[in-house]
Amino acid sequence: GQNIDQPTEMTATEGAIVQINCTYQTSGFNGLFWYQQHAGEAPTFLSYNVLDGLEEKGRFSSFLSRSKGYSYLLLKELQMKDSASYLCAVVNTNAGKSTFGDGTTLTVKP
Amino acid sequence: DTGVSQDPRHKITKRGQNVTFRCDPISEHNRLYWYRQTLGQGPEFLTYFQNEAQLEKSRLLSDRFSAERPKGSFSTLEIQRTEQGDSAMYLCASSRPPGTSGRGEQYFGPGTRLTVT
């Protein structure tokens, strides 16, 4: 079966750092994506991990531990526009089929 | 690169009617995916294509759902005999295979919001 767990909601302050965790148990692993989804809009790609370790991309970083079935997304210098849902998605097959978590709704407060 | 487009953006239909949605992927993407998303949930996989071949269909999908991608370009998703439980946002996404200038990340269209009354 497929199981991806993320916290439902998180709140953080503008300018701060927040870490959104994702744990997974899936059949097949070919990488893990993080997507951002603003309310009423489509998801947009943020980051990708296939090997263990940290991938940094501007204010966003993502970490993967395949042995632990664990990833996190780190957002630095939070801005109000970062208020959105953050989706963790595990790529199950070589053809790119992905299983998504239910997302973490992040609210950034002034 | 004009992005993934979907049509219509909104559809209201009565229970029992058939509906068809269209997705036009990014032109050089050979992979196309359909998802369904309800409020507070992540996208739920429905089916996907590589070129014109439908490689997998979710076991959660009943026989009322069918998808095609006849020429390996645009795709259609048809729902027959709609039920109220079909009300959701239907998302289409496309991608290149990993390694071909990208990591296989999916680019999503704006979605078609279906309301079944």
Side-chain angles (χ1 to χ4, degrees):
Chain A
Q2 318 289 338
N3 191 39
I4 298 178
D5 287 318
Q6 306 178 232
T8 304
E9 296 180 335
M10 297 184 72
T11 303
T13 304
E14 191 176 16
I17 299 173
V18 70
Q19 177 174 312
I20 302 174
N21 296 325
C22 170
T23 58
Y24 62 89
Q25 290 177 304
T26 59
S27 56
F29 182 85
N30 282 276
L32 187 146
F33 285 101
W34 284 94
Y35 290 86
Q36 180 189 60
Q37 186 174 27
H38 284 100
E41 298 182 10
T44 55
F45 166 71
L46 285 179
S47 70
Y48 174 72
N49 295 74
V50 66
L51 299 177
D52 290 353
L54 188 68
E55 292 280 343
E56 297 187 81
K57 192 176 177 183
R59 293 191 300 116
F60 296 82
S61 303
S62 56
F63 172 82
L64 175 68
S65 169
R66 288 171 296 171
S67 62
K68 295 182 179 178
Y70 168 69
S71 174
Y72 68 72
L73 179 70
L74 194 71
L75 293 78
K76 303 174 186 175
E77 301 169 14
L78 282 172
Q79 302 174 9
M80 300 297 290
K81 68 178 182 180
D82 297 330
S83 293
S85 178
Y86 291 86
L87 299 162
C88 171
V90 172
V91 184
N92 303 115
T93 70
N94 288 332
K97 178 195 169 186
S98 299
T99 301
F100 282 78
D102 286 337
T104 298
T105 300
L106 173 66
T107 302
V108 180
K109 295 187 174 180
Chain B
D1 182 349
T2 57
V4 179
S5 61
Q6 293 187 244
D7 183 68
R9 296 290 305 275
H10 303 273
K11 179 70 177 179
I12 300 174
T13 191
K14 292 185 178 179
R15 186 163 50 96
Q17 298 295 304
N18 299 344
V19 294
T20 300
F21 309 143
R22 176 178 171 125
C23 171
D24 287 87
I26 294 171
S27 57
E28 60 268 29
H29 288 184
N30 66 342
R31 295 178 174 180
L32 187 148
Y33 310 82
W34 284 100
Y35 296 91
R36 176 172 62 189
Q37 187 175 29
T38 54
L39 195 63
Q41 307 288 314
E44 177 188 15
F45 169 79
L46 295 179
T47 189
Y48 75 99
F49 295 83
Q50 182 152 307
N51 300 312
E52 65 275 11
Q54 186 174 18
L55 297 186
E56 188 170 344
K57 184 176 175 180
S58 169
R59 288 192 297 269
L60 301 173
L61 222 56
S62 74
D63 291 341
R64 296 185 297 106
F65 287 72
S66 63
E68 294 183 343
R69 194 182 184 197
K71 297 181 180 178
S73 56
F74 74 92
S75 175
T76 57
L77 177 69
E78 181 183 16
I79 309 173
Q80 296 181 327
R81 305 180 302 282
T82 52
E83 301 173 356
Q84 288 187 321
D86 297 332
S87 295
M89 176 73 84
Y90 289 82
L91 293 167
C92 174
S94 68
S95 75
R96 297 185 184 93
T100 53
S101 68
R103 294 176 168 183
E105 65 270 23
Q106 297 181 22
Y107 292 80
F108 284 82
T112 294
R113 182 166 295 284
L114 174 66
T115 302
V116 181
T117 62

